[in-house]
Structures are given as structure tokens and as C-alpha cells.
Amino acid sequence: MASLSVRYTTQFPRYRFATTFLLHPGTPHGQLVIPGCLRRPADGRRTIFRSRAALPTGLNPRVGTIFLGLIGLGFISTMIGVYEFYSSFAIWPGEIRSDLRAGIKAKQQGNLALSRKLLTQALETALSLPPDRFAPSPYLKLSGIAIALGEVLEEDKQPKKAYEIYLAALEHLQGHWSSLTHEEKLRAISIGQKLGEVADTYQLGEEEEERWLTWSVEEVLKLAKDVGSVKSGRNTEESYLALADLELPKWVSVTDIGAPLETLGAFYARTGKLTFAVPLYLHTISLLVPPVTSPRKATPEELCRGAQLMNNLSELFMRSTPTPATLHQSEAWARQALSLLQKTQGNFRICEEALAVVLFNLGSLREMNDDSKSARQLFEQSLEQSKKLKWQEGVTQGRNAIRRLERKQFDAQVYTSPRSDAESGSVPSE
């Protein structure tokens, strides 16, 4: 039987902060203003996991799962209203204000060549000025100009130059590490993730990608130690600091801490280093989905993201030759994901689509366990969920899976039914 590849193309929001350089004049301490609608992948790609697990003889459906698009971070500049556009530049030094404003306007108008020229001039001028001219949070602003220029270069199909700009921005931050605020260090970590993302997107080599993703994880763990207070009775020397037990300040979210771990975990999953991927996913899940005894309650979005990671874990356990034990582990994680997604229904379309995927994957696992009845029920639920969302790809995959089960059932009936006298070669008696 031909293998089944589930091509559910869901777009998940990527790492949510440090994606813009424009600072609203009314924002305190140089913090960034990012509309929620702009938290999307920079390259618009939609990605999935496809299991390559070896399956039992006679059954070979692939268990396709959504690959969490939290991987990396979306570097996109803020597009604010026309009436706020010009006033927002008042916080910048006069020497760069006109170039900066014109460069962003040119980008919005699609004139990438002019935008690149003006933003390059603005960045060069900014770096020649004393950092205190950009106070407060000077390194947020300086690195922000570089991020905007890097994005323009990527859109202009110049990824290597964009990579060089991002790298220079990070090296500039690293050169002033002792002077950086915690928020500015968080910015550096996000640029490290971006470097890993660019290395992956433009095939600059796995070594380069791993280098920056690993650095981001190491630094975010150090930052978590510095800014988080450990709850009483916990051992602060434990590996990964028992991240779920940290009480974080309001300016840093669990996504800020968890995204680098999950990004590196996804890299190891993609490159087949599952023993490294699984613990990173587990730590991220523990951050997104705190235990019931925790005073912090997860948001619906965090529960949804945690469920997506559980679904990915389910897929990871199927990378090796399936055994009763691995099938059990895989299904257990998928069912936990289903339980969380059922709690978030109606909150986000992305969760609704993920629910259709998890139901489909559970159906595939039940099919691999020769439980056609349960498999069909789950496929039908997935199909109905996709219909409700008017999600054509989900509808197509659900129908295909149900037809496959029907063909198998028909073939089994034909194989087990008594053959006719003519087929058996007997001669009718007179």
C-alpha cells in the first residue's frame, strides 16, 4: 500500500518579540510595539513533519504532524498607521531621522533598492554616534535598524548580505554585553535565533545553524537564571534550572524563554538527533503547560502551542521501528495534545486546525494498531473538523484516509469469503 503523507499546511506564529525596530514615542523604556496580526513567519513558509518511521509489514501510512512554526522568529518591521508614522520618528537623533523615515516609507512602497540605500546610510550614521544619543535602551534601537535593513535585504533576495548584517548586529551587542539591559540581551538572543533560521532557510550549513541555536539556548538559560526567582524548595542547580519552577518578571514571557529551546529541539529532530530533541521539547512543554499546582495559569495560546509540541513528540517516538512500547508512547502524547486542544476550541483558528491534525494522527496510530473501527471514527472527526473550518486540505486527507480503510475492509472480505465452485475448479454434480 502506498504511504500516506499528510500535507496539512498550517502557519503558526513564530518567536514573538524583537521583530521590529520602530519605537512608538509613548512607549516606556524603549520597548517595542508589535501588532499581533504581524506575528507571522518572515518567509511565509508553512512547514510540516513527515514521519519516516519503518512500519509493520502490510501497513505503511505515514504519520504526518504539524511542525510547530514557533521555530526561529519572524523578523518583520512594524507597519503603523499613516498618521502615527511620522511622529514615531521623533525619538531618533536628528542625524538619522530623515534617512530612517524615508527608508521605511520606501520599503512600504516596495522600493527595496531605495530602502536598502537609506537604511544603510541610517545604520552607518547611527553607529558613528555615541550610544547615549539613543537612550533609553540604545542597543535595542541600534540593533533594530540593522534588523530592518536585514529584512529588506532578505526581501530583495540577498540572503548572504542579510546574514552579514544580522551577524554584525549580534557581534555589536556581544561587544557591549556587560552594558546591556536584560531586554537588550533578549534582543541578542533573538538575533542568534534569526541567524540559525537564515542558515537553515538559505542552506548555509547545519554546523552554522546549530552554532547559533545552541548559543541562543545557552544565553537564554543564563538570562532566566538572572531574572527569574526560583520557588522555595527547588534546587537551583538542576539541569535546565527546572524552568517551569521559575517566576519570571512581567517583561519576559514563557515564550521568550521557551522558543530558543524549542527551536533547537526542532533542529535536532530534523537532523535525526532525537536524544537531544526530546528533552528540549519536554522542557518547552513544561514552560507552556504548567502543572495544575502552579500559580501561573497558561493562556489558551500557550496551551495550543504546548499541544502542538506534544504532537511533535508523538511523531518523534515513531521515528524508530514501531514497537508496542513506542506506539503506546506516541499515542499517549497525541492524546495529551488532543485533551489540551479540546480546551482551547474557539480561541484560535490555528488551534482548530491543529485539532484536525491531531485527530488525524491518532487515527493513523489506531490504524497501525489494527484498530480500524477507532481509526475510522477519528478520521471522521478530523474530516468534520476540517469541514467546519472550510479547510480543503484537511478535508481531502480525511476523505482519503476513510477511503483507504474502506478498501482494506473490502479486500479483507474478498480474501476471507468462500470461493465459488467455478473459482475452485469443481464440477457440478448431475
Side-chain angles (χ1 to χ4, degrees):
M1 180 178 62
S3 62
L4 173 67
S5 177
V6 184
R7 296 181 54 82
Y8 283 162
T9 53
T10 300
Q11 179 179 348
F12 294 106
R14 293 194 178 189
Y15 203 22
R16 68 166 187 83
F17 81 105
T19 60
T20 180
F21 78 98
L22 278 179
L23 299 171
H24 192 280
T27 304
H29 307 301
Q31 294 176 1
L32 301 176
V33 178
I34 307 174
C37 63
L38 293 179
R39 295 170 191 165
R40 59 170 178 78
D43 54 12
R45 292 182 305 161
R46 298 181 175 190
T47 52
I48 60 170
F49 256 147
R50 294 185 181 87
S51 174
R52 289 181 171 81
L55 302 177
T57 303
L59 180 64
N60 190 31
R62 286 185 180 178
V63 181
T65 61
I66 289 294
F67 183 66
L68 189 60
L70 275 172
I71 294 173
L73 60 155
F75 265 43
I76 51 177
S77 59
T78 296
M79 302 308 177
I80 58 180
V82 173
Y83 296 104
E84 293 182 350
F85 182 83
Y86 290 97
S87 63
S88 66
F89 288 90
I91 61 172
W92 298 89
E95 293 90 332
I96 68 168
R97 194 176 301 152
S98 60
D99 282 344
L100 198 55
R101 180 166 50 214
I104 293 301
K105 185 176 180 180
K107 179 186 179 299
Q108 292 179 332
Q109 294 174 342
N111 190 341
L112 298 179
L114 179 59
S115 178
R116 183 181 68 247
K117 176 183 176 182
L118 292 168
L119 290 177
T120 299
Q121 290 174 184
L123 180 60
E124 291 173 350
T125 303
L127 292 173
S128 70
L129 299 174
D132 58 12
R133 292 288 306 280
F134 297 88
S137 303
Y139 297 104
L140 276 181
K141 298 188 178 99
L142 289 169
S143 61
I145 302 173
I147 290 170
L149 175 57
E151 184 201 2
V152 169
L153 288 166
E154 283 194 80
E155 289 189 23
D156 202 28
K157 311 301 181 186
Q158 300 185 57
K160 289 187 177 180
K161 288 185 179 179
Y163 186 86
E164 290 170 0
I165 290 294
Y166 295 140
L167 179 58
L170 179 56
E171 289 176 344
H172 185 254
L173 290 168
Q174 289 174 324
H176 298 84
W177 199 256
S178 61
S179 303
L180 300 185
T181 64
H182 292 315
E183 291 93 335
E184 289 167 334
K185 288 181 179 179
L186 205 56
R187 165 63 64 79
I189 291 165
S190 77
I191 296 176
Q193 277 193 266
K194 179 60 182 178
L195 286 167
E197 178 194 325
V198 173
D200 174 33
T201 303
Y202 300 107
Q203 300 180 341
L204 302 181
E206 290 181 356
E207 184 177 345
E208 191 73 358
E209 182 181 359
E210 183 178 15
R211 169 193 175 193
W212 292 116
L213 297 182
T214 302
W215 179 85
S216 295
V217 166
E218 291 171 349
E219 293 303 324
V220 83
L221 291 177
K222 292 177 185 176
L223 184 64
K225 265 187 179 180
D226 291 342
V227 305
S229 57
V230 181
K231 299 168 189 176
S232 59
R234 300 294 184 178
N235 180 8
T236 59
E237 299 302 319
E238 291 178 1
S239 177
Y240 282 104
L241 200 68
L243 289 176
D245 295 321
L246 282 179
E247 294 179 347
L248 300 170
K250 291 183 178 180
W251 60 266
V252 59
S253 74
V254 295
T255 302
D256 297 334
I257 303 298
L261 277 70
E262 194 249 338
T263 305
L264 183 59
F267 167 78
Y268 285 135
R270 193 179 74 245
T271 54
K273 299 176 182 178
L274 306 188
T275 55
F276 295 159
V278 170
L280 287 162
Y281 276 171
L282 288 172
H283 280 293
T284 311
I285 290 170
S286 73
L287 281 169
L288 293 170
V289 188
V292 293
T293 56
S294 172
R296 188 184 76 83
K297 301 304 177 184
T299 65
E301 185 178 12
E302 288 169 350
L303 291 176
C304 181
R305 290 178 175 182
Q308 292 158 359
L309 276 178
M310 291 176 182
N311 199 36
N312 285 355
L313 264 182
S314 173
E315 194 276 340
L316 288 186
F317 285 116
M318 294 309 300
R319 293 288 187 91
S320 58
T321 302
T323 65
T326 57
L327 282 171
H328 176 75
Q329 280 186 309
S330 183
E331 185 167 344
W333 280 110
R335 290 200 178 278
Q336 285 196 56
L338 176 61
S339 176
L340 286 182
L341 288 169
Q342 288 172 333
K343 296 177 184 177
T344 63
Q345 281 187 281
N347 289 287
F348 302 99
R349 179 180 173 88
I350 205 66
C351 299
E352 296 288 299
E353 292 181 352
L355 177 59
V357 174
V358 172
L359 287 167
F360 186 97
N361 292 338
L362 276 169
S364 296
L365 288 164
R366 284 289 83 210
E367 185 180 0
M368 294 170 71
N369 277 288
D370 296 322
D371 183 0
S372 296
K373 181 179 178 181
S374 296
R376 180 171 185 133
Q377 291 173 346
L378 289 160
F379 287 143
E380 288 175 344
Q381 291 175 43
S382 176
L383 175 59
E384 289 305 310
Q385 178 71 3
S386 296
K387 285 180 177 179
K388 183 178 77 171
L389 298 172
K390 297 182 180 180
W391 190 18
Q392 186 55 47
E393 192 160 6
V395 170
T396 300
Q397 293 295 341
R399 285 174 175 165
N400 289 344
I402 292 170
R403 289 193 193 105
R404 185 180 66 250
L405 286 179
E406 290 173 344
R407 286 195 301 269
K408 286 175 59 179
Q409 184 178 11
F410 176 78
D411 291 343
Q413 289 174 347
V414 171
Y415 180 78
T416 57
S417 63
R419 291 183 296 175
S420 66
D421 290 338
E423 289 176 322
S424 63
S426 60
V427 179
S429 59
E430 297 182 356

